[in-house]
Coordinates of all heavy atoms in Angstrom, one line a residue:
M5 N -53.4 -77.7 -10.5 CA -54.0 -76.4 -10.2 C -54.4 -75.8 -11.5 O -53.7 -75.9 -12.6 CB -53.0 -75.6 -9.4 CG -52.8 -75.9 -8.0 SD -52.1 -74.7 -7.0 CE -50.5 -74.4 -7.5
T6 N -55.2 -74.9 -11.4 CA -55.8 -74.2 -12.7 C -54.9 -72.9 -12.9 O -54.1 -72.4 -12.0 CB -57.2 -73.8 -12.6 OG1 -57.4 -72.9 -11.6 CG2 -58.0 -75.1 -12.4
G7 N -55.2 -72.2 -14.1 CA -54.5 -71.1 -14.4 C -54.8 -69.9 -13.3 O -54.0 -69.0 -13.0
S8 N -56.0 -70.0 -12.8 CA -56.5 -68.8 -11.9 C -55.7 -69.0 -10.6 O -55.4 -68.0 -10.0 CB -58.0 -68.9 -11.7 OG -58.4 -70.1 -11.2
H9 N -55.5 -70.3 -10.2 CA -54.6 -70.4 -9.0 C -53.3 -69.8 -9.2 O -52.8 -69.2 -8.1 CB -54.6 -71.9 -8.6 CG -55.9 -72.5 -8.1 ND1 -56.7 -73.4 -8.9 CD2 -56.6 -72.4 -7.0 CE1 -57.7 -73.7 -8.1 NE2 -57.7 -73.1 -7.0
W10 N -52.7 -70.1 -10.2 CA -51.3 -69.7 -10.5 C -51.4 -68.1 -10.6 O -50.4 -67.5 -10.1 CB -50.7 -70.3 -11.8 CG -50.4 -71.6 -11.5 CD1 -51.0 -72.8 -12.0 CD2 -49.3 -72.2 -10.8 NE1 -50.3 -74.0 -11.6 CE2 -49.3 -73.6 -10.8 CE3 -48.4 -71.4 -10.0 CZ2 -48.4 -74.4 -10.2 CZ3 -47.3 -72.3 -9.4 CH2 -47.3 -73.7 -9.4
A11 N -52.4 -67.4 -11.3 CA -52.6 -66.1 -11.2 C -52.6 -65.5 -9.8 O -52.0 -64.5 -9.6 CB -53.8 -65.8 -12.0
V12 N -53.3 -66.0 -9.0 CA -53.5 -65.5 -7.6 C -52.2 -65.6 -7.0 O -51.7 -64.8 -6.2 CB -54.5 -66.4 -6.8 CG1 -54.5 -66.0 -5.3 CG2 -55.9 -66.0 -7.4
I13 N -51.5 -66.8 -7.0 CA -50.1 -67.0 -6.4 C -49.0 -65.9 -7.0 O -48.4 -65.3 -6.3 CB -49.6 -68.4 -6.6 CG1 -50.4 -69.4 -5.9 CG2 -48.1 -68.5 -6.4 CD1 -50.1 -70.8 -6.4
G14 N -49.3 -65.6 -8.3 CA -48.3 -64.6 -9.0 C -48.5 -63.3 -8.5 O -47.6 -62.6 -8.1
V15 N -49.8 -62.8 -8.3 CA -50.4 -61.6 -7.9 C -49.8 -61.4 -6.4 O -49.3 -60.4 -6.0 CB -51.7 -61.4 -8.0 CG1 -52.1 -60.1 -7.2 CG2 -52.1 -61.1 -9.4
L16 N -50.0 -62.4 -5.5 CA -49.6 -62.4 -4.2 C -48.2 -62.2 -4.1 O -47.5 -61.6 -3.1 CB -50.1 -63.5 -3.4 CG -51.7 -63.5 -3.2 CD1 -52.1 -64.8 -2.5 CD2 -52.1 -62.3 -2.4
A17 N -47.3 -62.9 -4.8 CA -46.0 -62.8 -4.9 C -45.4 -61.6 -5.2 O -44.5 -60.9 -4.5 CB -45.3 -63.9 -5.8
I18 N -46.0 -60.9 -6.3 CA -45.6 -59.6 -6.6 C -46.0 -58.6 -5.6 O -45.2 -57.6 -5.2 CB -46.3 -59.2 -8.0 CG1 -45.7 -60.0 -9.1 CG2 -46.3 -57.7 -8.3 CD1 -46.5 -59.9 -10.4
A19 N -47.2 -58.7 -4.9 CA -47.5 -57.8 -3.9 C -46.6 -57.9 -2.6 O -46.2 -56.8 -2.1 CB -49.1 -58.2 -3.3
A20 N -46.3 -59.1 -2.3 CA -45.3 -59.4 -1.1 C -44.0 -58.7 -1.5 O -43.4 -58.1 -0.6 CB -45.2 -60.8 -0.8
F21 N -43.5 -58.9 -2.6 CA -42.2 -58.3 -3.0 C -42.3 -56.8 -3.1 O -41.4 -56.0 -2.6 CB -41.8 -58.7 -4.4 CG -40.5 -58.4 -4.9 CD1 -39.2 -58.8 -4.3 CD2 -40.4 -57.4 -6.0 CE1 -38.0 -58.3 -4.7 CE2 -39.2 -56.9 -6.3 CZ -38.1 -57.3 -5.8
S22 N -43.4 -56.2 -3.5 CA -43.6 -54.9 -3.7 C -43.6 -54.1 -2.3 O -43.0 -53.0 -2.1 CB -44.8 -54.5 -4.3 OG -44.9 -55.0 -5.7
I23 N -44.4 -54.8 -1.3 CA -44.3 -54.3 0.0 C -43.0 -54.1 0.6 O -42.5 -53.2 1.1 CB -45.1 -55.2 0.9 CG1 -46.7 -54.9 0.5 CG2 -45.0 -54.9 2.4 CD1 -47.6 -56.0 1.2
R24 N -42.0 -55.2 0.4 CA -40.7 -55.1 1.0 C -39.8 -54.1 0.2 O -39.1 -53.3 0.8 CB -40.0 -56.5 0.8 CG -40.6 -57.6 1.7 CD -40.2 -58.9 1.3 NE -40.5 -59.9 2.4 CZ -41.8 -60.4 2.4 NH1 -42.7 -59.9 1.8 NH2 -42.0 -61.1 3.4
V25 N -40.1 -53.8 -1.2 CA -39.3 -52.9 -1.9 C -39.8 -51.4 -1.4 O -38.9 -50.6 -1.1 CB -39.4 -53.0 -3.3 CG1 -38.9 -51.8 -4.2 CG2 -38.8 -54.3 -3.8
V26 N -41.0 -51.2 -1.2 CA -41.6 -49.9 -0.8 C -41.0 -49.7 0.6 O -40.5 -48.5 0.9 CB -43.1 -49.9 -0.8 CG1 -43.5 -48.6 -0.1 CG2 -43.5 -49.9 -2.2
G27 N -41.0 -50.6 1.5 CA -40.5 -50.5 2.9 C -39.0 -50.2 2.9 O -38.5 -49.3 3.6
L28 N -38.2 -50.8 2.0 CA -36.8 -50.4 1.9 C -36.6 -49.1 1.3 O -35.7 -48.3 1.9 CB -36.3 -51.6 0.9 CG -34.7 -51.6 0.8 CD1 -34.1 -52.0 2.1 CD2 -34.2 -52.5 -0.4
I29 N -37.3 -48.6 0.3 CA -37.2 -47.3 -0.2 C -37.5 -46.2 0.8 O -37.0 -45.3 1.1 CB -38.0 -47.2 -1.4 CG1 -37.4 -48.0 -2.6 CG2 -38.0 -45.6 -1.9 CD1 -38.2 -48.1 -3.8
A30 N -38.7 -46.5 1.6 CA -39.3 -45.6 2.6 C -38.2 -45.5 3.7 O -37.9 -44.4 4.2 CB -40.6 -46.0 3.1
G31 N -37.7 -46.6 4.2 CA -36.7 -46.6 5.2 C -35.4 -45.8 4.9 O -34.9 -45.1 5.8
G32 N -34.9 -46.0 3.7 CA -33.9 -45.2 3.2 C -34.1 -43.7 3.2 O -33.3 -42.9 3.6
R33 N -35.3 -43.4 2.8 CA -35.6 -41.8 2.8 C -35.9 -41.4 4.2 O -35.5 -40.2 4.4 CB -36.8 -41.7 2.0 CG -36.7 -41.8 0.4 CD -37.8 -41.3 -0.3 NE -37.5 -41.5 -1.7 CZ -38.3 -41.2 -2.7 NH1 -39.6 -40.7 -2.5 NH2 -38.0 -41.3 -3.9
I34 N -36.4 -42.2 5.1 CA -36.4 -41.6 6.4 C -35.2 -41.6 7.2 O -34.9 -40.7 7.8 CB -37.4 -42.7 7.2 CG1 -38.9 -42.6 6.9 CG2 -37.3 -42.5 8.7 CD1 -39.8 -43.7 7.4
R35 N -34.2 -42.5 6.9 CA -32.9 -42.4 7.5 C -32.2 -41.2 7.0 O -31.3 -40.6 7.7 CB -32.1 -43.6 7.1 CG -32.4 -44.9 7.8 CD -31.4 -46.0 7.2 NE -32.0 -47.3 7.5 CZ -32.0 -48.1 8.6 NH1 -31.5 -47.6 9.6 NH2 -32.6 -49.1 8.7
A36 N -32.5 -40.7 5.8 CA -31.8 -39.5 5.4 C -32.5 -38.3 5.7 O -31.9 -37.2 5.5 CB -31.7 -39.5 3.8
S37 N -33.7 -38.4 6.3 CA -34.4 -37.1 6.7 C -34.0 -36.8 8.2 O -33.3 -37.5 8.8 CB -35.9 -37.3 6.5 OG -36.4 -38.3 7.6
R38 N -34.7 -35.7 8.6 CA -34.5 -35.2 10.0 C -35.4 -36.1 10.9 O -35.3 -36.0 12.2 CB -35.0 -33.7 10.2 CG -36.4 -33.4 9.8 CD -36.6 -32.0 10.0 NE -38.0 -31.7 9.4 CZ -38.9 -31.3 10.1 NH1 -38.9 -31.3 11.4 NH2 -40.1 -31.0 9.5
H39 N -36.1 -37.0 10.5 CA -37.1 -37.9 11.3 C -36.4 -39.3 11.6 O -37.0 -40.2 12.0 CB -38.5 -38.1 10.7 CG -39.1 -36.8 10.4 ND1 -39.6 -36.0 11.4 CD2 -39.5 -36.1 9.3 CE1 -40.2 -35.0 10.9 NE2 -40.2 -35.0 9.5
S40 N -35.1 -39.3 11.2 CA -34.4 -40.6 11.4 C -34.4 -41.2 12.8 O -34.3 -42.4 13.0 CB -32.9 -40.5 10.9 OG -32.2 -39.6 11.6
W41 N -34.5 -40.4 13.8 CA -34.5 -40.7 15.2 C -35.7 -41.7 15.4 O -35.6 -42.5 16.5 CB -34.6 -39.6 16.1 CG -35.8 -38.7 15.9 CD1 -36.0 -37.6 15.0 CD2 -37.1 -38.9 16.6 NE1 -37.2 -37.1 15.2 CE2 -38.0 -37.8 16.1 CE3 -37.4 -39.7 17.6 CZ2 -39.3 -37.8 16.5 CZ3 -38.9 -39.6 18.1 CH2 -39.7 -38.6 17.4
V42 N -36.8 -41.6 14.7 CA -38.0 -42.4 14.9 C -37.6 -43.9 14.8 O -38.0 -44.7 15.5 CB -39.1 -42.1 14.0 CG1 -40.3 -42.9 14.0 CG2 -39.5 -40.6 14.2
L43 N -36.8 -44.3 13.8 CA -36.4 -45.6 13.5 C -35.6 -46.3 14.7 O -35.8 -47.4 14.9 CB -35.5 -45.8 12.4 CG -36.1 -45.4 10.9 CD1 -35.2 -45.4 9.8 CD2 -37.3 -46.3 10.7
D44 N -34.9 -45.5 15.6 CA -34.2 -45.8 16.7 C -35.2 -46.3 17.8 O -34.9 -47.2 18.6 CB -33.3 -45.0 17.3 CG -32.1 -44.6 16.3 OD1 -31.8 -45.6 15.5 OD2 -31.6 -43.5 16.3
E45 N -36.4 -45.7 17.7 CA -37.4 -45.9 18.7 C -38.4 -47.1 18.4 O -39.2 -47.6 19.3 CB -38.1 -44.7 19.2 CG -37.3 -43.6 19.5 CD -36.5 -43.9 20.8 OE1 -36.9 -44.7 21.6 OE2 -35.3 -43.4 20.9
V46 N -38.4 -47.5 17.1 CA -39.4 -48.4 16.7 C -39.5 -49.7 17.5 O -40.6 -50.3 17.8 CB -39.2 -48.7 15.2 CG1 -40.1 -49.7 14.6 CG2 -39.7 -47.4 14.3
P47 N -38.4 -50.4 17.7 CA -38.5 -51.8 18.5 C -39.2 -51.6 19.7 O -40.0 -52.4 20.2 CB -37.0 -52.2 18.6 CG -36.3 -51.5 17.5 CD -36.9 -50.1 17.4
G48 N -38.8 -50.5 20.6 CA -39.5 -50.3 21.8 C -40.9 -50.0 21.6 O -41.8 -50.4 22.5
L49 N -41.2 -49.3 20.7 CA -42.7 -48.9 20.4 C -43.6 -50.1 20.2 O -44.7 -50.3 20.4 CB -42.8 -47.8 19.4 CG -42.2 -46.5 19.7 CD1 -42.1 -45.6 18.5 CD2 -43.0 -45.8 20.9
I50 N -42.9 -51.0 19.4 CA -43.6 -52.2 19.0 C -43.9 -53.1 20.2 O -44.9 -53.5 20.4 CB -42.8 -53.0 17.9 CG1 -42.8 -52.3 16.6 CG2 -43.3 -54.5 17.8 CD1 -41.8 -52.9 15.6
V51 N -43.0 -53.2 21.0 CA -43.1 -53.9 22.4 C -44.2 -53.3 23.1 O -45.1 -54.0 23.7 CB -41.8 -54.0 23.1 CG1 -42.1 -54.6 24.5 CG2 -40.8 -54.9 22.3
V52 N -44.3 -52.0 23.2 CA -45.3 -51.3 24.1 C -46.6 -51.6 23.5 O -47.7 -51.9 24.2 CB -44.9 -49.7 24.2 CG1 -46.1 -49.0 24.8 CG2 -43.7 -49.6 25.1
C53 N -46.7 -51.5 22.2 CA -48.1 -51.7 21.5 C -48.4 -53.3 21.7 O -49.7 -53.4 21.9 CB -47.8 -51.4 20.0 SG -47.6 -49.7 19.6
L54 N -47.5 -54.1 21.8 CA -47.9 -55.5 21.8 C -48.5 -55.7 23.2 O -49.5 -56.5 23.5 CB -46.7 -56.5 21.5 CG -46.4 -56.6 20.0 CD1 -45.1 -57.3 19.9 CD2 -47.6 -57.2 19.2
V55 N -47.7 -55.1 24.2 CA -48.1 -55.3 25.6 C -49.5 -54.6 25.8 O -50.4 -55.2 26.5 CB -47.0 -54.8 26.5 CG1 -47.5 -54.7 28.0 CG2 -45.8 -55.7 26.5
A56 N -49.6 -53.4 25.3 CA -50.9 -52.7 25.5 C -52.2 -53.5 25.0 O -53.2 -53.5 25.6 CB -50.9 -51.3 25.0
A57 N -51.9 -54.0 23.8 CA -52.9 -54.9 23.2 C -53.3 -56.0 23.9 O -54.3 -56.5 24.0 CB -52.6 -55.2 21.7
S58 N -52.3 -56.7 24.6 CA -52.5 -57.8 25.2 C -53.2 -57.6 26.6 O -53.9 -58.4 27.1 CB -51.0 -58.5 25.7 OG -50.4 -59.0 24.4
L59 N -53.0 -56.4 27.1 CA -53.6 -56.1 28.4 C -55.0 -55.7 28.2 O -55.9 -55.7 29.3 CB -52.8 -55.1 29.1 CG -51.5 -55.5 29.8 CD1 -50.8 -54.3 30.3 CD2 -51.7 -56.5 30.9
A60 N -55.4 -55.2 27.0 CA -56.8 -54.8 26.9 C -57.8 -55.8 27.1 O -57.6 -56.9 26.6 CB -56.9 -54.3 25.3
G61 N -58.6 -55.5 28.0 CA -59.6 -56.5 28.4 C -59.5 -57.7 29.3 O -60.1 -58.6 29.6
Q62 N -58.2 -57.5 29.9 CA -57.7 -58.5 30.9 C -58.2 -58.1 32.3 O -58.6 -57.0 32.7 CB -56.2 -58.6 30.9 CG -55.6 -59.2 29.7 CD -56.0 -60.6 29.3 OE1 -56.0 -61.3 30.3 NE2 -56.4 -60.7 28.2
P63 N -58.3 -59.1 33.1 CA -58.6 -58.8 34.6 C -57.7 -58.0 35.4 O -56.5 -57.9 35.0 CB -58.9 -60.2 35.2 CG -58.1 -61.1 34.5 CD -58.1 -60.5 33.0
V64 N -58.1 -57.5 36.5 CA -57.3 -56.7 37.4 C -56.0 -57.4 37.8 O -54.9 -56.7 37.9 CB -58.1 -56.3 38.6 CG1 -57.2 -55.4 39.5 CG2 -59.3 -55.5 38.2
Q65 N -56.0 -58.8 37.9 CA -54.8 -59.4 38.4 C -53.7 -59.3 37.3 O -52.6 -59.2 37.6 CB -55.0 -60.9 38.6 CG -56.1 -61.2 39.8 CD -57.4 -61.3 39.1 OE1 -57.8 -60.8 38.2 NE2 -58.2 -62.1 39.9
T66 N -54.1 -59.4 36.0 CA -53.1 -59.2 35.0 C -52.6 -57.8 35.0 O -51.3 -57.7 34.9 CB -53.7 -59.5 33.7 OG1 -54.4 -60.8 33.7 CG2 -52.8 -59.5 32.5
W67 N -53.3 -56.8 35.2 CA -52.8 -55.3 35.3 C -52.1 -55.2 36.5 O -50.8 -54.5 36.3 CB -54.0 -54.4 35.3 CG -54.7 -54.3 34.1 CD1 -55.7 -55.0 33.4 CD2 -54.4 -53.1 33.1 NE1 -56.0 -54.5 32.2 CE2 -55.2 -53.5 32.0 CE3 -53.5 -52.1 33.0 CZ2 -55.2 -52.6 30.9 CZ3 -53.4 -51.3 32.0 CH2 -54.3 -51.6 30.8
I68 N -52.3 -55.7 37.6 CA -51.4 -55.7 38.7 C -50.0 -56.3 38.6 O -49.0 -55.8 38.7 CB -52.0 -56.1 40.0 CG1 -53.2 -55.2 40.4 CG2 -51.0 -56.1 41.1 CD1 -54.0 -55.8 41.5
G69 N -50.0 -57.5 37.9 CA -48.8 -58.2 37.5 C -48.0 -57.4 36.5 O -46.8 -57.4 36.7
A70 N -48.7 -56.8 35.7 CA -48.0 -56.0 34.6 C -47.3 -54.8 35.2 O -46.1 -54.4 34.8 CB -48.9 -55.6 33.5
A71 N -48.0 -54.2 36.1 CA -47.6 -53.0 36.8 C -46.2 -53.4 37.6 O -45.3 -52.7 37.8 CB -48.5 -52.4 37.7
A72 N -46.4 -54.6 38.4 CA -45.2 -55.1 39.1 C -44.0 -55.3 38.2 O -42.9 -55.0 38.5 CB -45.6 -56.2 39.9
A73 N -44.3 -55.9 37.1 CA -43.2 -56.2 36.1 C -42.7 -54.9 35.5 O -41.4 -54.8 35.4 CB -43.7 -57.1 34.9
F74 N -43.4 -53.9 35.4 CA -42.9 -52.6 34.9 C -42.0 -52.0 35.9 O -41.0 -51.6 35.6 CB -44.1 -51.7 34.5 CG -43.6 -50.4 34.1 CD1 -43.0 -50.1 32.9 CD2 -43.8 -49.3 34.9 CE1 -42.6 -48.9 32.4 CE2 -43.3 -48.0 34.6 CZ -42.7 -47.8 33.4
G75 N -42.5 -52.1 37.2 CA -41.6 -51.6 38.2 C -40.4 -52.3 38.3 O -39.3 -51.7 38.5
A76 N -40.3 -53.5 38.2 CA -39.2 -54.5 38.3 C -38.3 -54.0 37.2 O -37.0 -53.9 37.2 CB -39.5 -55.9 38.3
A77 N -38.8 -53.8 35.9 CA -38.0 -53.4 34.8 C -37.3 -52.1 35.0 O -36.2 -51.9 34.7 CB -38.9 -53.4 33.6
V78 N -38.1 -51.2 35.7 CA -37.4 -49.9 35.8 C -36.3 -49.9 36.8 O -35.3 -49.4 36.6 CB -38.6 -48.9 36.3 CG1 -37.9 -47.6 36.8 CG2 -39.5 -48.5 35.1
L79 N -36.6 -50.8 37.9 CA -35.6 -50.7 39.0 C -34.4 -51.6 38.5 O -33.2 -51.3 39.1 CB -36.2 -51.3 40.2 CG -37.3 -50.5 41.0 CD1 -37.9 -51.2 42.1 CD2 -36.7 -49.2 41.4
T80 N -34.6 -52.7 37.9 CA -33.4 -53.7 37.7 C -32.8 -53.6 36.3 O -31.7 -53.9 36.1 CB -33.9 -55.2 38.0 OG1 -34.9 -55.5 37.0 CG2 -34.4 -55.4 39.5
N81 N -33.6 -53.2 35.3 CA -33.3 -53.2 33.9 C -32.8 -54.6 33.5 O -31.8 -54.7 32.8 CB -32.1 -52.2 33.7 CG -32.0 -51.8 32.3 OD1 -32.9 -52.0 31.4 ND2 -30.9 -51.4 31.8
N82 N -33.3 -55.6 34.1 CA -33.2 -57.0 33.8 C -34.3 -57.7 33.4 O -35.4 -57.8 34.0 CB -32.6 -57.6 35.0 CG -32.1 -59.1 34.9 OD1 -32.8 -59.8 34.2 ND2 -30.9 -59.3 35.4
V83 N -34.3 -58.4 32.1 CA -35.5 -59.1 31.6 C -35.9 -60.1 32.5 O -37.1 -60.5 32.7 CB -35.2 -59.5 30.1 CG1 -36.3 -60.3 29.6 CG2 -34.8 -58.3 29.3
I84 N -35.0 -61.1 32.9 CA -35.3 -62.2 33.7 C -36.0 -61.9 35.1 O -37.1 -62.4 35.4 CB -34.0 -63.0 34.0 CG1 -33.4 -63.5 32.8 CG2 -34.3 -64.3 34.8 CD1 -34.3 -64.3 31.8
A85 N -35.4 -60.8 35.7 CA -36.1 -60.3 36.9 C -37.4 -59.7 36.7 O -38.4 -60.0 37.5 CB -35.2 -59.3 37.6
T86 N -37.6 -59.2 35.7 CA -38.9 -58.5 35.2 C -39.9 -59.7 35.0 O -41.1 -59.6 35.6 CB -38.8 -57.7 34.0 OG1 -37.9 -56.7 34.3 CG2 -40.2 -57.1 33.6
M87 N -39.5 -60.7 34.5 CA -40.5 -61.8 34.1 C -40.8 -62.4 35.4 O -41.9 -62.9 35.6 CB -39.9 -62.8 33.1 CG -40.0 -62.2 31.7 SD -39.5 -63.4 30.4 CE -37.8 -63.8 30.9
I88 N -39.8 -62.7 36.3 CA -40.0 -63.5 37.4 C -41.0 -62.6 38.4 O -42.0 -63.2 39.0 CB -38.6 -63.7 38.1 CG1 -38.0 -64.8 37.3 CG2 -38.9 -64.2 39.5 CD1 -36.4 -65.0 37.8
V89 N -40.8 -61.4 38.6 CA -41.6 -60.6 39.4 C -43.1 -60.5 38.8 O -43.9 -60.9 39.6 CB -41.1 -59.1 39.4 CG1 -42.1 -58.1 40.0 CG2 -39.8 -59.1 40.2
G90 N -43.3 -60.3 37.5 CA -44.5 -60.3 37.0 C -45.3 -61.6 37.2 O -46.5 -61.6 37.6
V91 N -44.5 -62.8 37.0 CA -45.2 -64.1 36.9 C -45.6 -64.3 38.6 O -46.7 -64.9 38.8 CB -44.3 -65.1 36.4 CG1 -44.8 -66.6 36.8 CG2 -44.3 -65.0 34.9
I92 N -44.7 -64.1 39.4 CA -44.9 -64.3 40.9 C -46.1 -63.6 41.3 O -47.0 -64.1 42.1 CB -43.6 -64.1 41.7 CG1 -42.6 -65.3 41.3 CG2 -43.9 -64.1 43.2 CD1 -41.2 -65.1 42.0
I93 N -46.1 -62.2 41.1 CA -47.3 -61.4 41.6 C -48.6 -61.9 40.8 O -49.5 -62.1 41.5 CB -47.0 -60.0 41.1 CG1 -45.6 -59.5 41.9 CG2 -48.2 -59.2 41.3 CD1 -46.0 -59.4 43.3
Y94 N -48.6 -62.2 39.6 CA -49.8 -62.7 39.0 C -50.2 -64.0 39.5 O -51.5 -64.2 39.8 CB -49.6 -62.8 37.5 CG -50.7 -63.5 36.7 CD1 -51.9 -62.5 36.5 CD2 -50.7 -64.8 36.2 CE1 -53.1 -63.1 35.9 CE2 -51.8 -65.3 35.6 CZ -52.9 -64.3 35.4 OH -54.0 -65.0 34.8
A95 N -49.3 -65.0 39.8 CA -49.6 -66.1 40.3 C -50.2 -66.1 41.8 O -51.2 -66.7 42.1 CB -48.4 -67.2 40.3
G96 N -49.5 -65.3 42.5 CA -49.9 -65.0 43.9 C -51.4 -64.4 43.9 O -52.3 -64.8 44.8
L97 N -51.7 -63.6 43.0 CA -53.0 -62.9 43.0 C -54.2 -63.9 42.6 O -55.2 -63.9 43.0 CB -53.1 -61.7 42.1 CG -52.3 -60.4 42.7 CD1 -52.1 -59.4 41.6 CD2 -52.9 -59.9 43.9
T98 N -53.8 -64.7 41.5 CA -54.8 -65.6 41.1 C -54.9 -66.8 41.9 O -56.1 -67.4 42.0 CB -54.5 -66.2 39.7 OG1 -53.1 -66.8 39.7 CG2 -54.5 -65.0 38.6
M99 N -54.0 -67.3 42.7 CA -54.1 -68.4 43.6 C -54.8 -68.0 44.8 O -55.6 -68.8 45.4 CB -52.7 -68.9 43.9 CG -52.0 -69.8 42.9 SD -50.5 -70.5 43.7 CE -49.7 -71.0 42.2
N100 N -54.8 -66.7 45.2 CA -55.5 -66.2 46.3 C -56.9 -65.8 45.9 O -57.6 -65.4 46.9 CB -54.9 -65.2 47.1 CG -53.5 -65.6 47.7 OD1 -53.4 -66.8 48.1 ND2 -52.5 -64.8 47.7
G101 N -57.2 -65.8 44.7 CA -58.7 -65.5 44.2 C -58.9 -63.9 44.3 O -60.1 -63.6 44.4
I102 N -57.9 -63.2 44.3 CA -58.2 -61.7 44.3 C -58.5 -61.3 42.8 O -58.0 -61.6 41.9 CB -56.9 -60.9 44.8 CG1 -56.5 -61.4 46.2 CG2 -56.9 -59.5 44.6 CD1 -55.3 -60.8 46.8

């Protein structure tokens, strides 16, 4: 490898390390502020964002399956039951051609 390759690797390593340090510092400051409650909600917000992004542009069957899974999650508060309900509803709708 040439010197320019090593320079790029070095710059990327410093950037990756810097991002982690800045996140650590920012997280510490947020925990000490009145906005610390936001950190408790981040995992749930990430899941909601991932699901919303996954549903964008999907057919109606997927949305109905997701709605059924959401209903199961609210009623049972059980991950396995939620997945089973969502998959069964989605499979039933797609097998019937709805």
Side-chain angles (χ1 to χ4, degrees):
M5 287 201 298
T6 65
S8 61
H9 288 108
W10 286 109
V12 169
I13 290 171
V15 168
L16 291 175
I18 291 169
F21 181 74
S22 299
I23 288 170
R24 285 168 175 77
V25 169
V26 168
L28 190 63
I29 292 169
R33 288 191 178 177
I34 291 173
R35 284 182 206 272
S37 75
R38 62 186 171 104
H39 302 292
S40 63
W41 61 271
V42 173
L43 293 177
D44 295 333
E45 305 300 329
V46 168
L49 294 172
I50 290 171
V51 170
V52 169
C53 292
L54 291 171
V55 169
S58 297
L59 286 174
Q62 293 297 315
V64 176
Q65 297 94 331
T66 306
W67 281 86
I68 294 171
F74 177 73
V78 169
L79 293 175
T80 66
N81 197 25
N82 184 312
V83 175
I84 303 299
T86 300
M87 289 189 295
I88 290 171
V89 168
V91 168
I92 288 173
I93 297 296
Y94 176 76
L97 290 172
T98 54
M99 284 185 190
N100 293 328
I102 296 176

